[in-house]
Amino acid sequence: MGRSHPRRVRSLFLALLACFGLLIWRLGVIQVAQHDLYAGARLEQGTAAVPLESEPRGRILDRNLAPLAGGVPEECVVIIPALMKDADHVVRRLAAVLGRPVSEVRSQMGKPGALPYSLSPSQRRALAAHQWEGVYVLPVTVRYPTPSLAAHVLGFTGPVAGRDEIAALSRAGSKSYGLGDRVGKAGLELAYEQDLKGSRPARTARVFVDARGRPLQGLGLVVTEGAPDGRHDLVLTLDRRVQAAVEEVLDRHGVRGAAAVLDVGNGDLLAVASRPGFDPRAPGKAAKKDGDPFVNRALALYQPGSVFKLVVAAAALEEGLVTPESVFRCEGRSEQLIPCWNGAGHGELTFGRAFAESCNPTFAKVALRLGAERLAAFSRRLGLEDDGIIGLPVKHDPRQDLSAIARPYNLVNASIGQGPVLLNAVQAAGLAATFANGGTYFRPRLVAEVRSGGKVLRRLPPDQGRPAVSSGTAAAMRRLMTLVTTEGNGRSAWVPGWGSAGKTGTAELGDGCTNAWFVGYTPLARPRYAIAVFIEGGVSGGEAAGPVFREIADRLLACAPKPGARAGDGLSTQVPLL
C-alpha cells in the first residue's frame, strides 16, 4: 500500500504536467499563430469601420503593371453617422453639395460606409471647406476605373448566389466564402477566382467606440492597413495604352464587332476589344439594343470571307502549285465554279493580282488543285483549329471543324471563306503575325504571371512557336499582302509614313447582310503589330474595316520613331514580355 502511494502521486503529477503543457501550447497558438485573427476580431468589436476598398480582391495589371482592375484610388465621401451631432442638417447640406436628392442620401445613412458617387474637384473643395463631423473625403480603392477597359477579358464580379455556389467555390480551392461575398462571374475574374479573392479590405477607416457603440471622444478617425489575406495579382500581356487606343477608335467609328492586336514577335495579346460592351461596375444595366453586350466578339466564331484566302495562298505557294506570277482568267459572273464580285470579270491576271483584288474564281481553282485535305492541314498549321489562349480558359467551339471542308460541295465555298470555315479575330490576327514574323505560328498569350506582394508565384511563358510555312513562303505572302494595301482593294488600310500589309474580307451571311474584315500588320519594315478588325454589318472589308485598321495602327505607331530604312521584309525586334 505504501509503495503504490508514490506511484499515484507521480502519475497525478505527470497528468497535471501534461494538462499544463497543453494549456501552454494552446495559449501559444492563440497569442502567436492566431494573433492576427483575434487581434482583428477585437479591433472589429471596438471600432466602427468603413472598408476603403470596394472589393477585397487582387489586382489585374497590364504588362507595365498599370491597373486594369483593383488598385485604383478614387476620392469618395466616407460617412460615420454616429459622429454626426445633427444628422438631418448634414444630410441636407451634403445632398446639396453632391447634387443628389435628400431622400437618396438619407437612405444611405444607416451605417458607416462610402457613398457611391464620384466627386468633382469643386465638390471636393466644398466638402473640405465644410468639414462636417462624421463626413470625410478619403481615397477608396475601386475595382474598376472610369472608364473601364477590356471588360470582356476582365469579366465582372457579383454577389455570391447562395449556399450551393459557396459550396462549389469552397470545393474548388482553399478560400472560404460567406453569403455577403462578391465573387467572379465572368472572364478572368471567374477563371482566377481562387487567386484573386481576399478575405479583408487592404485599408479601413475606423472610429473607436465603447461597449454601447458610442464614439470615444478625442480619438477621431484612423486608417488601418490590413494584414496579407491570400489575394494574388494577375499580370496580363495587354498594354493599357494600346487597349485604350483600340477601344477609342472602335467607339469613334460606332463599330459593332471586335479588334485584336498581337505582338508579331511572340504572339502576346496587346489588346482585345469587343463592341457593344458593358460597364463591369454595373453589368446589369448594359443595353442590348445592338446585340448581346456580354458576347466577346473577339473570341466568337464568324465566317472570314476573303481573309481565308491568306490560307489558300500560303498553302498553294508552299506546295509549289502557284507562284505570284502564275496566270489565271476570270470571267466574272459567267464563271461556272463561283461568280466573281467583279461582274465583268478581271480577264487575264496573275495570282498576285488575283490576291490583291480578291478574285473569287481564281481562288476556287487554286483550292481545287490543293484539295480539301491539304487545305485543312495548312489551316491547322496556321492555328485555325486551335482557339486556345495561354492563361485564358476557352471552351472549344465544335463548329470550328476543318474536316468539314472535305464534305461534298464545301471546298469551293471554303476557298473564299464561306461555308464551313469559321474563325475569330484573335486567330485572324495570328495569321497576319505568322507571315509578318517569317513563318512561325505562336499560340496567343493573355496572362503572363500570378504574383503575390511583388513575388512571382506562377509564370506563364510565351509559346515557343512552331514553323507553319517556310521563310520563303512567308516573304512571298508579305509581298502579296503589301499589294492589297498599295494597289488592291485594301488601300484604305495603308498607314502613311509606316506602311502596312494585309487582306480584306467580306462575308455574305445569306440574309442580305455582310460582315467586314481587315487583317494585317504594320509597319512594313520590322513589323511589330498584327491587327484584326471585324465589323458586323460592314459594307465591305475595304470600305468599313480598312479605315478602322489604319486608325488603330496610326494610334499605336504615333509615339514611335519613323523608320529610317526603306520598307522591306525585316522581322520584329520586339523584346518578349518578362
Side-chain angles (χ1 to χ4, degrees), residues 301-571:
L301 296 178
Y302 299 92
Q303 290 181 328
S306 293
V307 167
F308 192 70
K309 291 172 182 174
L310 288 164
V311 180
V312 178
L317 289 167
E318 185 84 347
E319 292 291 300
L321 300 177
V322 297
T323 69
E325 291 74 35
S326 297
V327 176
F328 291 84
R329 185 164 187 81
C330 168
E331 300 292 345
R333 293 193 190 92
S334 303
E335 286 285 345
Q336 293 184 347
L337 281 175
I338 194 168
C340 189
W341 63 267
N342 183 343
H346 291 99
E348 194 171 89
L349 75 172
T350 64
F351 182 68
R353 178 58 56 187
F355 185 91
E357 299 191 12
S358 209
C359 175
N360 289 341
T362 297
F363 277 83
K365 295 167 187 174
V366 171
L368 289 175
R369 293 185 192 179
L370 268 170
E373 289 186 5
R374 280 197 289 188
L375 183 55
F378 270 92
S379 299
R380 293 187 182 97
R381 284 164 60 174
L382 290 163
L384 298 191
E385 205 169 57
D386 177 10
D387 48 11
I389 294 174
I390 296 172
L392 178 66
V394 176
K395 186 178 180 180
H396 178 69
D397 191 328
R399 294 179 303 150
Q400 194 167 47
D401 179 11
L402 293 172
S403 64
I405 295 174
R407 293 173 191 162
Y409 313 112
N410 276 352
L411 180 55
V412 168
N413 281 332
S415 70
I416 60 169
Q418 300 282 162
V421 176
L422 298 167
L423 57 118
N424 62 43
V426 172
Q427 291 174 317
L431 278 176
T434 298
F435 302 130
N437 70 33
T440 300
Y441 169 75
F442 293 99
R443 196 181 203 196
R445 180 175 68 148
L446 177 66
V447 178
E449 290 179 347
V450 179
R451 293 186 175 193
S452 178
K455 179 182 178 181
V456 177
L457 301 180
R458 300 198 305 276
R459 195 184 298 272
L460 286 73
D463 188 42
Q464 294 302 301
R466 66 169 188 263
V469 295
S470 67
S471 59
T473 295
M477 288 299 300
R478 291 195 295 274
R479 288 190 288 271
L480 293 180
M481 294 165 74
T482 304
L483 278 176
V484 172
T485 55
T486 55
E487 302 177 24
N489 53 12
R491 283 170 286 185
S492 62
W494 176 257
V495 181
W498 297 92
S500 56
K503 185 72 187 76
T504 57
T506 307
E508 298 178 359
L509 306 183
D511 56 0
C513 295
T514 56
N515 288 337
W517 293 81
F518 191 89
V519 177
Y521 64 85
T522 190
L524 281 181
R526 299 183 180 276
R528 295 176 59 191
Y529 304 111
I531 305 169
V533 174
F534 163 73
I535 300 178
E536 288 186 7
V539 177
S540 68
E543 187 174 338
V548 177
F549 172 97
R550 183 191 65 237
E551 191 169 338
I552 289 173
D554 271 334
R555 290 287 302 274
L556 302 190
L557 296 167
C559 297
K562 287 287 192 295
R566 64 180 179 82
D569 290 328
L571 304 184

Side-chain angles (χ1 to χ4, degrees), residues 132-148:
W132 294 304
E133 289 184 295
V135 178
Y136 306 90
V137 176
L138 295 173
V140 176
T141 301
V142 298
R143 186 65 187 160
Y144 304 107
T146 304
S148 60

